[in-house]
Amino acid sequence: MSSDSVILLDTVNFAAEKHRNQRRKDAEQTPYITHPIGVARILSHEGGITDIEVLQAALLHDTVEDTDTSIGELQAVFGQTVARLVQEVTDDKALSKEETKRQQVEYAPHASHQAKLVKLADKLYNLRDINRCTPTGWTAGRVQEYFVWSAQVVRGLRGTNPALEGHLEELFKQRGVEL
Ligand SMILES: Nc1nc2c(ncn2[C@@H]2O[C@H](COP(=O)(O)OP(=O)(O)O)[C@@H](OP(=O)(O)OP(=O)(O)O)[C@H]2O)c(=O)[nH]1
Ligand SMILES: [Mn+2]
């Protein structure tokens, strides 16, 4: 049986290979893998999370949405729990962008505790990233809309991790958005 650190290295390597050609939408075109790694780090270092399956799901959370990875592949390589967690935080590609956003708000309160943790850290990373550098082509209005919609999702994730929720609440407050 592998140790947790060996499992995490295998997982981050899988995610890095899957996201290898993808870049963030910032001006520097940062390699995309910085995002899943950062989400996992938020969970461990700020959320106090040591649950290996949650940390693995964080590293893999955008592989199905944004690369050729399937849930079946994740299940075969990393097992049922990790695959199910990634499934829970993956948007349905068949839906329109508006419908996808509505679905995230609707599903948030029904997600498992572990999936809620990943979603909280994902939102916290992305909101901090917007504050650091506005994504290419985003107007101030789109940024504000993203904060307002994110607050609607985070509302359904509350009662999961006080540290992460506290950081999120502060970011919303800075934008005049009520949680
Ligand atoms: N802030 C920021 N976001 C970037 C950047 N590059 C890529 N993204 C991704 O863009 C998504 C947010 O933008 P949206 O308007 O919601 O999505 P879309 O254009 O990809 O459809 C996030 O997806 P996600 O992680 O799947 O989360 P979610 O928004 O779906 O919850 C985020 O990871 C960047 O430079 N800054
Ligand atoms: Mn993400």
Side-chain angles (χ1 to χ4, degrees):
M1 189 63 191
S2 302
S3 71
D4 281 1
S5 50
V6 170
I7 291 171
L8 283 178
L9 281 173
D10 190 37
T11 310
V12 77
N13 181 67
F14 181 98
E17 287 186 352
K18 290 295 190 174
H19 288 294
R20 74 191 317 151
N21 295 317
Q22 240 189 311
R23 297 289 177 276
R24 297 290 283 172
K25 300 174 200 159
D26 58 355
E28 299 99 326
Q29 300 190 297
T30 304
Y32 195 85
I33 190 64
T34 54
H35 168 62
I37 292 174
V39 171
R41 188 187 185 280
I42 285 173
L43 285 166
S44 61
H45 287 65
E46 300 186 58
I49 302 303
T50 55
D51 180 341
I52 182 89
E53 288 166 335
V54 171
L55 301 177
Q56 286 182 279
L59 290 169
L60 298 167
H61 82 273
D62 277 330
T63 57
V64 174
E65 206 169 289
D66 297 337
T67 79
D68 65 3
T69 311
S70 68
I71 291 295
E73 186 180 358
L74 292 183
Q75 190 174 331
V77 180
F78 299 110
Q80 181 130 38
T81 303
V82 171
R84 197 242 313 141
L85 291 177
V86 175
Q87 170 95 77
E88 280 194 81
V89 300
T90 297
D91 291 337
D92 183 347
K93 284 174 205 160
L95 302 176
S96 68
K97 195 162 164 170
E98 293 69 40
E99 194 54 39
T100 293
K101 301 240 162 211
R102 227 187 335 267
Q103 275 263 6
Q104 278 203 31
V105 176
E106 262 173 40
Y107 184 66
H110 307 291
S112 65
H113 177 80
Q114 289 172 308
K116 282 179 178 168
L117 285 168
V118 175
K119 206 63 212 166
L120 281 169
D122 186 25
K123 284 281 183 278
L124 182 52
Y125 185 103
N126 284 333
L127 295 173
R128 283 175 175 165
D129 210 21
I130 290 176
N131 284 344
R132 179 186 67 82
C133 170
T134 310
T136 308
W138 284 36
T139 60
R142 179 158 176 195
V143 168
Q144 188 67 17
E145 261 176 43
Y146 190 84
F147 271 82
V148 168
W149 165 71
S150 294
Q152 289 173 358
V153 178
V154 170
R155 233 168 264 147
L157 303 170
R158 280 180 306 191
T160 303
N161 185 282
L164 301 186
E165 289 160 49
H167 291 309
L168 282 159
E169 190 173 6
E170 184 56 33
L171 292 180
F172 292 130
K173 205 195 285 175
Q174 287 167 9
R175 298 275 175 171
V177 177
E178 274 297 319
L179 190 57

